[in-house]
Amino acid sequence: MDGMIHPDAASDPFLAPLHRSFLFSCFASGAAALVVLPLHLALAGAPQVATLLALAWMLSQWPLALYLSQSGALSRAAGLSASLFAMFVAGVCAVTGGAQSFALAWLLVPPVEAALAASRRTALAVTGLCCALVLGLTFVPLPLSPASGLPGLATPLAALAAVLYVGLLSLRIAFDRALAQKVVRATEEKRLQISQSVADIYCELAPSGTLKVIGGPVKEVLGHLPAESDEDWLFPRLHVADRPLYLTCLSEARLNGVARTFEARLRVGANRPGEAGQADYRRMEVHLRPGRQSGSVSAQVADLLLTLRPVETIEPLAAAGAGMSALGSARADRISRDMLETAGVEASRALADILAHSERLDRLGRENSDPALRQAVEALRQSGERGLASLTAALDLVPAESTASQPDIAGVDVETCLNQCMDMVATAALRRGVSVQMASGQECPPVAADRKLLRQALCFLLADMVETSEAGAVLSVDVQSGAGSADFVFSTKNRQSSLCWSTEASATVLGLSRALLERMGGSLTVHTVLGQGESVIVTLPLKTQAQQGTGQSVKETTAERLARSA
């Protein structure tokens, strides 16, 4: 049967099953007629006129199958089949009582069968034919006398058969719709694959100004997905100095039908012009050309094809393996340098205080009973502890030489780590106008973690959230204790702009923090709440009894490391 499908439809994933089902129904109908006719002659004798009409209609399906196989016109073949069935039903009605015939209800079936043609003209034509046949059976005198000897159950049986036949047609229509949806989904997936594999963005610019994206890596190049509207979303994002050139080339392409290519600076990112945020422009090669090449159609009413091509090479997201890790490492190194500079300032101040108090101690002498001397010694000790804490935090931010080493799991006070990290990002937060605070009245349970890895992950997370927040934002940390683990929720609210914080620009640093947390049994997830934006949740396992005394030598180990480095 597949060999009889027309070549134009054999390779089509949507038309081939429709041709196959139509051919199968035609062959099955003709074969049934060849089986029924000999049995009827042998068992019941010569058939009546209605039976002969039914057998003739069943055998006539074979020429329809041959016509479809040679022409490939499925809609026309379905229309001919429905029209032939209507004529057959009218013939049966003519010989069995006309408008009073039991088969009159079958004239409702051909319009339903015409729906398989997927053509409104065919459906209307078959419906008009059935109406004309009903009127003819009602008002035109019958040349033949009604057939006699019909059983009393002929009418209900005919209605039941009509319902079953219409049900089969409905199943075929439902199958065709499901097949169409499947083909559309497959086509859309193929289009998305093609769009992700090309480097250019293809758009269609209508005469009304609507700019519709046809395909291309829009998210990777523009940083956002433009919404379809009645506006030209490209024009507001062009640099002010490049807008006259764009309008000139657009007018020439519309009026003269001339293809134009020029370079322009296009604003990228999710924030729109007029919103708060620093504008980021990217050089694009813009190509405008008429969408229709026919000379009979005016270029003024034709759609224009607009192509955007980045001048700089942009690494696609699909190749984010080595490239994204390198980008994340570079950004993490920059954050580490900023944190080390802040720690260096604090250490310098602490050392200056130590020198000042040392000079004071020399002037006062060595009498232990002097209160001023005791105050100087106490101040000297506090300054030394402050400098030691700053240098310890700075050393913890230095990446380890080997990432394959096993983490040193011990009991860690997360609140102390958070306060140290908040102090280190305080300068950057003050410079950007962002406040960092921890929810009061909440108890942070001790967790089992590597102190250095935990401080690195928290510092990277806080610094990046401060960097990607706008002026006036408030970064808060909440604690939620659970069974065997504790969740630390980092959320940001922008008071001035009322915009929700997004992790879109923090993917690389979040990935690095997630890797550090997973090494010591923790995790990092992003939670989205409608109307409140995104929050980062850090989950850490709670400390057990076996880990109570493992954190006693941490300060001594740090002091020894400082002594060795000195």
Side-chain angles (χ1 to χ4, degrees):
M1 191 176 298
D2 290 340
M4 293 192 65
I5 299 177
H6 195 269
D8 294 341
S11 59
D12 193 299
F14 178 67
L15 292 178
L18 301 183
H19 281 242
R20 188 180 298 109
S21 61
F22 188 89
L23 293 175
F24 176 79
S25 60
C26 291
F27 291 145
S29 178
L34 294 180
V35 173
V36 170
L37 180 58
L39 292 177
H40 193 283
L41 293 174
L43 300 178
Q48 297 180 359
V49 179
T51 306
L52 290 177
L53 288 175
L55 295 175
W57 169 75
M58 297 170 67
L59 288 174
S60 64
Q61 301 300 310
W62 282 7
L64 284 177
L66 182 61
Y67 171 76
L68 177 63
S69 178
Q70 294 182 353
S71 64
L74 179 62
S75 297
R76 188 174 300 175
L80 291 175
S81 178
S83 301
L84 185 62
F85 185 73
M87 298 298 295
F88 153 68
V89 173
V92 174
C93 292
V95 299
T96 57
Q100 306 299 325
S101 174
F102 68 92
L104 186 65
W106 279 81
L107 285 176
L108 298 174
V109 177
V112 179
E113 186 178 359
L116 298 174
S119 173
R120 289 179 295 180
R121 183 178 301 179
T122 302
L124 291 175
V126 174
T127 303
L129 176 62
C130 292
C131 293
L133 292 175
V134 172
L135 293 176
L137 292 173
T138 304
F139 299 104
V140 176
L142 298 178
L144 299 178
S145 59
S148 59
L150 294 177
L153 296 177
T155 300
L157 291 177
L160 178 62
V163 170
L164 294 177
Y165 192 78
V166 171
L168 292 177
L169 294 179
S170 301
L171 289 178
R172 283 192 58 184
I173 295 175
F175 169 76
D176 295 347
R177 291 189 60 185
L179 179 62
Q181 293 176 356
K182 182 179 179 181
V183 172
V184 168
R185 286 195 298 267
T187 304
E188 184 67 17
E189 292 177 358
K190 185 178 296 184
R191 187 187 68 84
L192 292 177
Q193 292 178 358
I194 296 176
S195 299
Q196 294 174 359
S197 62
V198 298
D200 299 344
I201 300 175
Y202 300 94
C203 305
E204 187 178 30
L205 184 59
S208 61
T210 304
L211 189 62
K212 181 180 179 181
V213 177
I214 300 177
V218 182
K219 182 70 173 179
E220 291 78 359
V221 177
L222 301 182
H224 74 290
L225 293 175
E228 296 184 3
S229 62
D230 296 334
E231 300 178 347
D232 183 1
W233 54 263
L234 179 65
F235 182 78
R237 289 185 171 270
L238 285 175
H239 196 275
V240 178
D242 298 330
R243 292 179 181 179
L245 178 60
Y246 170 74
L247 294 176
T248 302
C249 296
L250 180 61
S251 300
E252 293 181 358
R254 285 200 184 279
L255 298 177
N256 303 328
V258 179
R260 292 298 305 270
T261 302
F262 60 95
E263 287 189 6
R265 288 161 291 182
L266 186 64
R267 180 171 181 168
V268 298
N271 56 335
R272 294 177 294 181
E275 295 180 348
Q278 185 178 2
D280 185 13
Y281 287 91
R282 182 173 294 161
R283 294 177 58 198
M284 296 282 183
E285 180 182 309
V286 185
H287 182 67
L288 284 168
R289 65 182 185 274
R292 300 177 183 176
Q293 302 296 334
S294 177
S296 60
V297 181
S298 175
Q300 297 182 1
V301 298
D303 294 341
L304 294 179
L305 295 180
L306 187 144
T307 306
L308 297 175
R309 177 178 299 173
V311 177
E312 301 88 356
T313 303
I314 300 177
E315 181 183 5
L317 291 179
M324 291 295 287
S325 60
L327 181 60
S329 299
R331 193 172 183 184
D333 292 341
R334 178 172 58 83
I335 295 177
S336 298
R337 287 194 299 270
D338 294 341
M339 297 297 102
L340 288 177
E341 289 178 0
T342 304
V345 172
E346 295 293 334
S348 299
R349 292 176 181 175
L351 291 176
D353 293 340
I354 291 175
L355 293 177
H357 291 302
S358 298
E359 293 177 359
R360 185 181 178 186
L361 182 61
D362 291 338
R363 288 195 305 267
L364 293 177
R366 299 183 179 180
E367 296 181 2
N368 296 334
S369 60
D370 190 356
L373 180 59
R374 289 197 297 270
Q375 292 179 0
V377 172
E378 181 65 20
L380 182 64
R381 185 184 62 83
Q382 293 179 358
S383 300
E385 290 179 353
R386 188 168 67 252
L388 180 62
S390 299
L391 290 178
T392 302
L395 288 176
D396 284 345
L397 286 179
V398 178
E401 298 181 357
S402 176
T403 58
S405 59
Q406 293 294 331
D408 185 13
I409 304 298
V412 178
D413 185 4
V414 185
E415 185 175 1
T416 303
C417 292
L418 283 173
N419 291 330
Q420 293 175 352
C421 294
M422 290 179 183
D423 293 339
M424 299 192 71
V425 302
T427 303
L430 181 63
R431 184 171 62 250
R432 294 188 60 87
V434 178
S435 62
V436 184
Q437 61 186 12
M438 188 171 181
S440 59
Q442 294 185 349
E443 181 179 356
C444 293
V447 299
D450 187 301
R451 186 183 303 272
K452 180 177 180 179
L453 296 181
L454 179 60
R455 189 171 296 174
Q456 286 182 1
L458 295 179
C459 282
F460 289 154
L461 177 60
L462 287 174
D464 191 77
M465 292 183 72
V466 169
E467 183 179 350
T468 54
S469 299
E470 299 180 357
V474 179
L475 197 160
S476 61
V477 183
D478 297 330
V479 182
Q480 299 176 359
S481 300
S485 63
D487 293 339
F488 300 88
V489 183
F490 298 79
S491 57
T492 302
K493 295 183 179 179
N494 297 331
R495 288 181 175 176
Q496 292 183 357
S497 61
S498 299
L499 297 177
C500 299
W501 181 77
S502 175
T503 59
E504 182 178 359
S506 307
T508 54
V509 177
L510 290 181
L512 184 59
S513 299
R514 181 183 290 107
L516 293 174
L517 293 171
E518 289 178 352
R519 289 185 57 192
M520 49 186 171
S523 63
L524 185 147
T525 57
V526 177
H527 181 65
T528 303
V529 179
L530 184 61
Q532 301 180 8
E534 297 177 337
S535 301
V536 179
I537 301 178
V538 174
T539 303
L540 295 171
L542 296 179
K543 183 182 66 173
T544 59
Q545 295 295 333
Q547 297 164 339
Q548 291 287 345
T550 56
Q552 298 178 355
S553 61
V554 174
K555 187 173 182 180
E556 299 177 0
T557 305
T558 305
E560 293 176 358
R561 181 175 57 182
L562 289 173
R564 288 196 301 270
S565 62

